[in-house]
Amino acid sequence: MEIKYIKRVLLFVLFCIASKFWGQQKVSGKVITGDELDLAPVLVVNISGNKSALSDMAGNFEIEAKENDEIRFVKEGYYRVDKKITKEEINAPFHIMLRKIEIQIPEVKIKYKPTGNLAKDNQHYNESRKLQALKSEMEDYMRSPLNQPLPNNTVSKTFTGHDFNAGQVNLFGVFNAVKKLAQPKVTKANYNETQDFLRRVRNEVNLNFLKRYGMDEEQIDAFLLYADKTRSLAKRYRKDFSISVVEYELKVAFAEYSKTHKLEGIQE
């Protein structure tokens, strides 16, 4: 008796597992529109299973479905496609081709045939007095002041669809905010801070480009004071010292310095 009971339990468990596995089957593939510039997603709907999904920007899709389910592919501006899933398509990806809806331009029929007589033809094509009066009244109405408030020019949430950005963290905004907070505040340097900064420039920045112009140590010190005064180096970079940035600033200052100060030239 106990053995039969155990067998029934095992069969029930296996049946539940098989049913769950069967219910979670998925089909996948790619939707092709024939237009490489059209990257909007396609709505994929399992009509039989009441499931829906969107394809990615490349047209790839995946949706829960089983054999004989009817899948519908919908995209604005294209003919929709309905497809019944076969057993082979459950295990292998397949392609769906959407055709673009043709835009038909209404035919324009010219009822009046010009005669060549300007007076007669002009009388035919001129607007009637009633139409002219109506247009005049409409123009006066459009120019008149607004007496009633305009309606709120917003779309109802019922038709806007789901906002996928709702509740999401703007990572770029957080990164920029953290980066901005991490940068030290620029403040005016006092005498001691300026001297410490210039001493660091002397020790860490390559100043050989100044020596190539025959500048001695005293002239280099004078130039560094000039560069700090004109480029506000200590104020801007004493808290955020970057050798490459400071060296670039020195070369910019030297380009102006060489215009007003006589130098001996490059030494070989």
Side-chain angles (χ1 to χ4, degrees):
M1 185 71 180
E2 292 180 355
I3 296 175
K4 290 183 178 180
Y5 176 76
I6 293 173
K7 286 183 177 180
R8 289 178 180 178
V9 171
L10 290 175
L11 288 173
F12 178 77
V13 172
L14 291 174
F15 175 78
C16 291
I17 295 174
S19 299
K20 185 176 180 181
F21 174 77
W22 179 261
Q24 292 181 347
Q25 286 180 311
K26 292 184 178 182
V27 294
S28 62
K30 185 172 184 178
V31 182
I32 303 172
T33 63
D35 187 358
E36 296 179 355
L37 299 178
D38 193 355
L39 301 178
V42 177
L43 176 63
V44 184
V45 183
N46 184 342
I47 300 175
S48 304
N50 195 23
K51 301 285 184 180
S52 64
L54 286 174
S55 67
D56 61 16
M57 305 305 280
N60 300 307
F61 70 90
E62 185 179 83
I63 190 172
E64 292 185 14
K66 59 183 183 295
E67 186 177 357
N68 294 326
D69 277 2
E70 186 176 354
I71 308 297
R72 177 169 295 172
F73 300 85
V74 182
K75 182 178 177 66
E76 185 178 358
Y78 291 81
Y79 291 104
R80 76 181 188 189
V81 173
D82 293 340
K83 179 174 180 57
K84 197 170 186 179
I85 301 301
T86 63
K87 183 177 181 180
E88 292 76 17
E89 291 167 339
I90 294 178
N91 300 320
F94 55 90
H95 286 183
I96 294 294
M97 180 68 182
L98 297 185
R99 292 190 302 108
K100 207 163 190 176
I101 297 177
E102 301 84 7
I103 301 177
Q104 295 183 354
I105 302 175
E107 183 181 357
V108 178
K109 295 183 179 180
I110 301 177
K111 297 181 178 179
Y112 178 78
K113 295 182 179 180
T115 62
N117 187 329
L118 294 179
K120 185 177 181 180
D121 293 341
N122 188 46
Q123 183 179 3
H124 175 80
Y125 285 111
N126 280 344
E127 296 175 345
S128 65
R129 291 183 179 181
K130 290 184 178 180
L131 181 58
Q132 290 177 357
L134 178 61
K135 284 188 175 182
S136 179
E137 292 177 0
M138 288 297 297
E139 185 175 355
D140 293 340
Y141 171 76
M142 295 299 293
R143 292 181 177 180
S144 63
L146 186 65
N147 296 323
Q148 297 180 352
L150 290 172
N152 187 13
N153 189 20
T154 57
V155 181
S156 172
K157 292 183 178 180
T158 306
F159 303 100
T160 55
H162 178 68
D163 184 5
F164 291 96
N165 293 323
Q168 301 297 320
V169 178
N170 186 347
L171 297 179
F172 291 103
V174 173
F175 174 77
N176 291 331
V178 172
K179 183 179 179 182
K180 187 174 182 180
L181 291 174
Q183 293 177 345
K185 187 177 180 180
V186 176
T187 57
K188 186 178 180 180
N190 57 33
Y191 175 79
N192 291 330
E193 290 174 331
T194 301
Q195 293 301 315
D196 291 339
F197 173 78
L198 293 178
R199 191 177 301 109
R200 188 174 181 184
V201 172
R202 271 284 202 170
N203 295 332
E204 299 183 24
V205 179
N206 185 0
L207 302 178
N208 288 335
F209 72 96
L210 298 175
K211 296 178 181 179
R212 292 173 59 201
Y213 282 87
M215 298 178 67
D216 55 24
E217 298 300 324
E218 185 176 351
Q219 291 173 323
I220 291 176
D221 289 337
F223 165 71
L224 293 179
L225 290 173
Y226 166 86
D228 176 65
K229 182 178 180 181
T230 57
R231 307 292 296 176
S232 301
L233 300 182
K235 176 181 178 181
R236 296 162 60 196
Y237 302 115
R238 74 181 190 281
K239 295 180 181 179
D240 187 17
F241 192 91
S242 172
I243 295 177
S244 59
V245 174
V246 173
E247 183 177 354
Y248 170 78
E249 292 284 351
L250 289 175
K251 290 181 178 180
V252 173
F254 182 75
E256 295 298 323
Y257 184 82
S258 61
K259 296 178 182 179
T260 56
H261 295 74
K262 189 175 181 180
L263 301 174
E264 296 181 8
I266 300 177
Q267 302 297 311
E268 297 294 342

